[in-house]
Amino acid sequence: MNPTEKMRSQKVYFSNDETLLAEQMQCLETLYDFNHSRPSEVEKRQTLMKQIFASVGEGCYIEPPLHANWGRHTHLGKHVYANFNLTLVDDTDITIGDAVMIGPNVTIATAGHPIEPELRRRVGQFNIPVSIGNNVWIGANSVVLPGVTIGENTVIGAGSVVTKDIPANVVAVGSPCKVLRAIGEHDRTYYFQDRPLAGNVLE
């Protein structure tokens, strides 16, 4: 099994392969260019994003700084927006759907390490894909851990640690993140706490 196959196997492997380290350096070099681009260099940023990621849908925008282990294992749908300081530990696939909004200081991680001390001493690692559905909003300072799927339209509250799958069409929050309630009539009536949508939507 070659190093890339080991990374995608979802089994424990040892992440000290020189070939992998050299390939990872290429990503870090491109990220450096992205993170040091000027705000006015919109086309340059779009070009660099296409070099960094496996796929990029139209209308995506990421605020620098961006951090990624590989970049090439992350798939962005259309109109994805990520605020400052997104960290992608994408040692295997991270799939982000259309119209996803990601707050500042969010980490999405596919990589983990065994609890068993000797395996960690040897730099043992495993990688399990993460999937984020269309129209999800992930609040600031949240962490999404390996193997998690988040269903479409769901809101992850700020500061959450998402350790397990979260279904579609819910508000979920906490550490560990749990479903608080379904998205429903209340959300069609109020946009924030007791502030009604009626008369408060500007066109």
Side-chain angles (χ1 to χ4, degrees):
M1 190 177 290
N2 65 42
T4 299
E5 291 171 336
K6 289 179 181 179
M7 289 177 65
R8 294 180 174 275
S9 71
Q10 301 188 30
K11 298 179 180 179
V12 176
Y13 68 102
F14 300 97
S15 55
N16 53 3
D17 184 275
E18 292 296 329
T19 303
L20 290 179
L21 296 175
E23 291 177 3
Q24 194 171 37
M25 184 61 70
Q26 295 175 9
C27 171
L28 298 178
E29 289 285 342
T30 309
L31 278 173
Y32 181 91
D33 292 338
F34 179 84
N35 289 331
H36 290 81
S37 61
R38 301 187 67 84
S40 59
E41 295 179 312
V42 176
E43 289 186 12
K44 178 179 180 179
R45 287 184 180 179
Q46 290 295 315
T47 298
L48 290 168
M49 284 171 59
K50 290 176 181 176
Q51 294 174 21
I52 292 166
F53 295 118
S55 56
V56 181
E58 64 182 25
C60 292
Y61 188 87
I62 296 178
E63 299 278 7
L66 166 67
H67 312 282
N69 279 19
W70 295 91
R72 69 183 190 189
H73 298 150
T74 295
H75 310 258
L76 303 181
K78 301 174 185 175
H79 304 292
V80 173
Y81 173 78
N83 213 321
F84 304 107
N85 214 34
L86 172 63
T87 298
L88 301 167
V89 187
D90 62 337
D91 291 65
T92 192
D93 292 327
I94 295 174
T95 303
I96 299 173
D98 299 340
V100 170
M101 299 193 335
I102 301 174
N105 302 310
V106 166
T107 296
I108 303 172
T110 66
H113 303 282
I115 300 298
E116 200 283 318
E118 187 54 36
L119 287 173
R120 285 205 323 281
R121 196 186 316 277
R122 295 172 58 198
V123 202
Q125 179 173 324
F126 57 88
N127 310 312
I128 306 177
V130 169
S131 180
I132 297 168
N134 295 337
N135 204 35
V136 166
W137 174 20
I138 301 177
N141 296 302
S142 293
V143 180
V144 180
L145 293 181
V148 163
T149 294
I150 300 173
E152 65 178 6
N153 301 323
T154 281
V155 175
I156 303 297
S160 294
V161 179
V162 189
T163 62
K164 296 181 180 179
D165 291 355
I166 303 293
N169 300 300
V170 299
V171 176
V173 64
S175 178
C177 188
K178 295 181 180 179
V179 174
L180 181 65
R181 60 178 177 84
I183 295 172
E185 190 59 37
H186 175 87
D187 305 290
R188 287 184 281 273
T189 305
Y190 299 95
Y191 68 95
F192 179 69
Q193 296 179 353
D194 61 350
R195 299 182 182 218
L197 276 165
N200 286 303
V201 178
L202 306 179
E203 298 295 343

